[in-house]
Amino acid sequence: MDLILPFKIGDLAEARSLVPGFNGAWFRSKIEDTRVTESGHLEYYLEYIDYTEEAKEWLRVFRMELNPECGNGKSSTSCQIMLRPSFAQWCREGQVPEHFSKSELIVTVCDTWKVGDWVEWLYEDCYWTAKIIKVLTKDVVQVNI
């Protein structure tokens, strides 16, 4: 049976960080290589686009995390995705560029942001998944990570 992989060498992707201070942030990366470990885990060898001084590293696509005791007094585990496709370019309705590559993905927003919407916030050269908690102006919101 052939192995169907979500990414191929040369693809752009975003890798989740577990580094203190950047835990949960997403960094732009390029797939340099791929492998399946002896234990059966799928890993990708990544180059970080915005941090060229960082060493390339192998990253598992999924990571199991032990969650501390929930309200019921029991611990649980959850699976976190550590690699995702690159974030698409966003445009407001009526502002989509006339010319762009056929392979380029563009998302058109035709609604206004509201409290409770989930957004990707670009801060310190990485993306953070955040929730809008307050709309300040048409183009400015307050978020909670």
Side-chain angles (χ1 to χ4, degrees), residues 69-109:
E69 291 184 11
C70 300
N72 60 11
K74 296 180 180 176
S75 296
S76 65
T77 57
S78 64
C79 185
Q80 287 188 344
I81 190 161
M82 300 299 293
L83 195 65
R84 69 181 187 187
S86 289
F87 203 69
Q89 176 184 343
W90 284 82
C91 299
R92 289 199 181 273
E93 189 174 31
Q95 297 177 338
V96 177
E98 288 185 33
H99 303 287
F100 57 91
S101 152
K102 287 184 180 181
S103 64
E104 188 174 349
L105 180 63
I106 293 185
V107 176
T108 304
V109 178

Side-chain angles (χ1 to χ4, degrees), residues 104-120:
E104 188 174 349
L105 180 63
I106 293 185
V107 176
T108 304
V109 178
C110 58
D111 198 3
T112 56
W113 297 114
K114 59 188 175 297
V115 172
D117 284 348
W118 286 95
V119 296
E120 291 291 319

